[in-house]
Amino acid sequence: MRDPAPWQKKYGMMLMYACLFGLAFQYLFVGRTAGVSVLIVVAGFYSLYFYAIKGRLGGFEPWEGQSKAGWLLLVPSVLLALTYGLFANRLFHTLNGLALPLLIVMQTIVLSRNSKHAWYHASFLQDILRHVMGRPLAHISVPLGMIKSWLPAKENEREASRGKFAKIGVGLLLAVPILFVIISLLASADRIFLSWLEHIPNWFDGGSTFEVIFRILLAICVTIYIFCYLLGLLLPKNAEVDSIPKVEEIELLEKNRKIQLDPLTAGTLLICVNFVYVLFAIIQFSYLFGAADGLLPDGVAYAEYARRGFAELVFVALINVALLFPGLHWIRKSAQTGELIRKVLLSLLVVCTLVMLSSAYSRLALYEEAYGFTQTRLLVHGFMIFLGVLFIIALYRIWVEKMSLSRAYITSAILAYLVMNYINIDERIAVNNTARYERTGVIDLAYLGDLSTDVVPALRDLQIRHPELVELELTINRVISGIDSDSWPSWNLSNYRAKR
């Protein structure tokens, strides 16, 4: 029998490793809370990924800096995976369940040089969709064909018998999803049949029969998808690569598509808007410093003051973003004086927005001092700071036209998201509220009891300083009782510290 080619051996090993990955995936996640298991799964995926692309790194880059960007995008992916083992914030664990796979897909596509567009361009979404959905579906027949090729040929009766058993095994494997649907329908239709199924001995760590079937199906789906995804990175379609337009062609197409506004029309619009914004900014300055001294307008409560401030922030930010991007890209170039006026007007627009953000930030700080710190309020604070950074970047872009605004914005968004993960927002809420208790003697223990175990160290420190707060022990016990799982895949540093 002829020995298989080297590429066949490698793909065979990839499929075996993908199978092990699928089995580990179902073991670590089914019925368990995400913890250090996420870091293990990410490490396992990257081990398989780097094995798959071994020897294919380097070479031609469709766009400048692609290899460097691929390695840099690996950093936030690892850091987000690490948060599951460090913190217990349920909100960010949920959000990271979406952000982490997206970052991994971006990083693997860019590093393997399968992106026709730079990662910070909107058209890069086409590459993501193609690699996440299109190519895995196109290659789904490959693992099935590989399994078929492993079946022995009928050279003699013994080998023929082995081939029959192997085919029976493949038939049983294909029957699993069909039986799953049939058994589920029959169990729903007949309670006696359902009770009979429930008396079947439990498998897989005490799980029910349905859990066993679910685990098997999940492992198979993960195995096939991961293998087909990696195969899509290894086997790019030549037609797609050859069809990449040249830089000159792209610039010509963009120039023809670009909407061109008359400089005089755009300048008139910006002058009118900036006139209103300057007046509004002057008013904001008076209330900003007046509110800090307790001089709120008559008839305005703290809640109304802060709520209006944030509404102004969202409304003005949306309007100003809608004005800023056309002002940067859609105004027809004019003489040097006209260009200077355009940049000054856009700069004034940004400065007025920053003043309004400062006002809204101050209002929300007043609200927190009066009513306490919550997750939503701290997230709003972070959002306002993030918006301020974006507008400062835009101010720089107004005067330095060679800068890529989309790359700076997406990079800032990734960094801001990492910062929000690592500031440990639940712990910050507890620390701020305990400090507020020292000043006012008021604390909302009911709210703190609904947060994650990240709050426990701050609450224990407060308990040491104020033993008269007997409710603190009940709050701490309530938080600790919310830990979902004690199994090692769900291990989490925050939960471990809380239970000590």
Side-chain angles (χ1 to χ4, degrees):
M1 183 180 293
R2 188 176 61 181
D3 291 335
W7 65 267
Q8 290 177 316
K9 291 182 179 179
K10 182 170 183 177
Y11 291 167
M13 293 299 296
M14 282 174 54
L15 185 56
M16 292 178 61
Y17 291 153
C19 183
L20 292 176
F21 180 84
L23 292 173
F25 187 92
Q26 64 83 22
Y27 172 76
L28 291 171
F29 288 118
V30 175
R32 293 186 172 95
T33 306
V36 71
S37 54
V38 176
L39 187 61
I40 295 173
V41 165
V42 170
F45 171 80
Y46 272 113
S47 298
L48 179 56
Y49 168 74
F50 284 115
Y51 172 79
I53 66 170
K54 183 181 178 182
R56 303 203 179 196
L57 293 176
F60 172 73
E61 294 185 351
W63 42 273
E64 184 180 356
Q66 188 170 15
S67 179
K68 182 180 179 180
W71 288 109
L72 287 176
L73 285 172
L74 180 61
V75 176
S77 301
V78 175
L79 290 176
L80 281 187
L82 192 59
T83 59
Y84 285 91
L86 295 178
F87 312 116
N89 187 286
R90 291 181 287 271
L91 173 63
F92 279 104
H93 279 192
T94 303
L95 294 176
N96 292 347
L98 301 175
L100 182 57
L102 178 61
L103 275 173
I104 291 175
V105 169
M106 290 175 59
Q107 191 273 332
T108 52
I109 292 175
V110 172
L111 187 60
S112 57
R113 291 175 172 80
N114 279 277
S115 56
K116 300 195 301 183
H117 314 93
W119 63 273
Y120 48 85
H121 288 168
S123 50
F124 182 68
L125 292 174
Q126 301 174 10
D127 297 324
I128 292 178
L129 291 175
R130 182 169 63 253
H131 282 279
V132 170
M133 300 176 63
R135 288 189 179 175
L137 290 175
H139 293 297
I140 198 169
S141 61
V142 176
L144 300 179
M146 291 174 62
I147 295 174
K148 182 180 179 181
S149 67
W150 291 342
L151 300 179
K154 297 182 180 179
E155 295 180 2
N156 51 51
E157 293 183 359
R158 185 176 180 181
E159 292 185 356
S161 177
R162 292 179 181 177
K164 290 179 181 179
F165 283 114
K167 290 179 180 179
I168 291 173
V170 174
L172 292 174
L173 188 64
L174 294 176
V176 167
I178 300 175
L179 289 175
F180 176 75
V181 176
I182 293 174
I183 291 173
S184 299
L185 293 174
L186 293 176
S188 300
D190 193 295
R191 291 190 175 183
I192 297 177
F193 183 70
L194 176 62
S195 63
W196 181 79
L197 288 176
E198 290 175 347
H199 283 86
I200 296 177
N202 294 336
W203 303 336
F204 287 91
D205 197 24
S208 65
T209 304
F210 291 109
E211 182 181 336
V212 172
I213 297 174
F214 175 75
R215 285 176 179 271
I216 294 173
L217 286 175
L218 180 62
I220 293 173
C221 291
V222 170
T223 298
I224 294 176
Y225 181 81
I226 291 297
F227 178 81
C228 292
Y229 174 78
L230 294 175
L231 203 62
L233 296 177
L234 293 174
L235 302 175
K237 295 181 180 179
N238 294 329
E240 291 179 353
V241 177
D242 295 338
S243 63
I244 299 176
K246 296 180 179 180
V247 176
E248 296 80 4
E249 296 175 355
I250 295 175
E251 292 178 351
L252 181 61
L253 288 172
E254 290 181 350
K255 185 175 181 180
N256 293 333
R257 291 180 196 166
K258 191 178 293 184
I259 301 173
Q260 298 289 312
L261 297 176
D262 184 80
L264 185 59
T265 302
T268 303
L269 173 63
L270 288 173
I271 289 174
C272 294
V273 171
N274 278 327
F275 178 75
V276 175
Y277 280 172
V278 168
L279 291 178
F280 189 76
I282 293 173
I283 296 173
Q284 293 305 296
F285 264 116
S286 63
Y287 282 136
L288 180 63
F289 297 110
D293 295 330
L295 302 176
L296 290 173
D298 294 335
V300 178
Y302 276 112
E304 183 183 2
Y305 187 75
R307 185 168 59 251
R308 284 185 179 178
F310 183 62
E312 290 166 0
L313 161 68
V314 175
F315 185 68
V316 171
L318 291 176
I319 292 178
N320 290 358
V321 167
L323 291 174
L324 186 61
F325 279 92
L328 288 171
H329 301 289
W330 293 353
I331 299 178
R332 190 170 62 246
K333 297 291 182 180
S334 60
Q336 185 175 359
T337 304
E339 281 296 294
L340 180 61
I341 293 174
R342 178 183 69 89
K343 292 180 179 180
V344 170
L345 291 175
L346 290 175
S347 300
L348 185 59
L349 180 71
V350 171
V351 171
C352 289
T353 304
L354 291 174
V355 171
M356 295 173 191
L357 287 174
S358 301
S359 173
Y361 192 94
S362 174
R363 295 176 183 214
L364 187 56
L366 289 171
Y367 186 79
E368 288 173 328
E369 186 62 29
Y371 299 103
F373 298 83
T374 65
Q375 197 171 78
T376 302
R377 293 162 196 167
L378 287 187
L379 288 174
V380 170
H381 268 307
F383 177 67
M384 283 190 276
I385 295 173
F386 174 62
L387 277 181
V389 171
L390 294 187
F391 276 102
I392 291 173
I393 292 173
L395 182 62
Y396 181 77
R397 167 60 179 80
I398 291 170
W399 297 95
V400 182
E401 297 185 351
K402 292 183 178 180
M403 172 188 170
S404 173
L405 191 61
S406 60
R407 177 166 56 185
Y409 272 14
I410 296 176
T411 302
S412 300
I414 294 174
L415 292 175
Y417 187 72
L418 286 173
V419 169
M420 292 303 293
N421 269 271
Y422 275 87
I423 63 172
N424 199 350
I425 191 168
D426 281 359
E427 182 184 41
R428 181 54 45 194
I429 291 170
V431 169
N432 289 351
N433 277 306
T434 54
R436 176 173 171 266
Y437 175 77
E438 301 283 357
R439 297 190 300 269
T440 64
V442 178
I443 189 170
D444 188 353
L445 292 178
Y447 174 77
L448 294 177
D450 291 332
L451 299 179
S452 68
T453 51
D454 293 331
V455 304
V456 172
L459 293 181
R460 283 177 173 159
D461 290 342
L462 182 64
Q463 189 179 33
I464 294 173
R465 297 195 303 270
H466 296 276
E468 70 277 5
L469 280 173
V470 294
E471 298 89 350
L472 269 175
E473 186 65 30
L474 297 175
T475 303
I476 293 172
N477 292 335
R478 178 180 160 198
V479 172
I480 296 175
S481 66
I483 298 176
D484 296 327
S485 176
D486 290 329
S487 59
W488 72 265
S490 302
W491 187 90
N492 178 281
L493 179 61
S494 178
N495 293 342
Y496 172 74
R497 285 167 38 185
K499 290 187 293 185
R500 282 197 308 174

